[in-house]
Amino acid sequence: QVQLVESGGGLVQAGGSLRLSCAASGRIFSINAMGWYRQAPGKQRELVAVITSGGSTTYADSVKGRFTISRDNAKNTVYLQMNSLKPEDTAVYYCNARGVLTTPMGDFRSWGQGTQVTVSS
């Protein structure tokens, strides 16, 4: 019903930067919040950052001061600017969006397919 397409992952050296993008499409009436989660091998998926339609943001303590989340409401797109990357940031990063569908109306929560971020030491 709602598709999320991520881009921007890759391999980078420690201290480097990457920018992830996620575009939502489909039966979207409104998006309440968009965010990024990550999952490293052998670990549970964890919240990285989330941004509401009003622009309020929440970050995991481990990325505060290094990552910045932003969104373009007109394009239903969310971005994650990642600076000063560390090897421990290595993970598959997943985009998430929740909101309201068009008619017939209902709530949705969707996930992207994931994009690999690898930070070498």
Side-chain angles (χ1 to χ4, degrees):
Q1 311 236 30
V2 175
Q3 297 79 40
L4 303 180
V5 178
E6 302 139 336
S7 61
L11 172 65
V12 65
Q13 289 188 329
S17 298
L18 283 174
R19 188 188 193 215
L20 305 182
S21 299
C22 172
S25 63
R27 292 179 47 229
I28 300 170
F29 177 77
S30 63
I31 298 179
N32 298 331
M34 298 185 78
W36 292 93
Y37 292 71
R38 67 186 181 187
Q39 187 167 18
K43 295 188 176 181
Q44 289 188 330
R45 190 173 297 189
E46 63 176 2
L47 173 71
V48 177
V50 65
I51 185 168
T52 68
S53 57
S56 297
T57 57
T58 301
Y59 293 94
D61 288 343
S62 59
V63 306
K64 284 181 181 177
R66 300 188 298 122
F67 291 11
T68 302
I69 190 169
S70 61
R71 65 186 282 180
D72 184 332
N73 290 334
K75 295 182 179 180
N76 290 331
T77 299
V78 65
Y79 307 95
L80 186 67
Q81 179 65 44
M82 305 185 293
N83 298 329
S84 302
L85 282 160
K86 304 176 181 180
E88 50 264 45
D89 294 317
T90 295
V92 177
Y93 284 69
Y94 296 92
C95 177
N96 174 268
R98 55 181 175 85
V100 180
L101 297 168
T102 58
T103 302
M105 301 191 81
D107 296 334
F108 74 87
R109 184 171 186 177
S110 297
W111 292 92
Q113 79 284 359
T115 185
Q116 178 70 47
V117 171
T118 302
V119 185
S120 62
S121 58

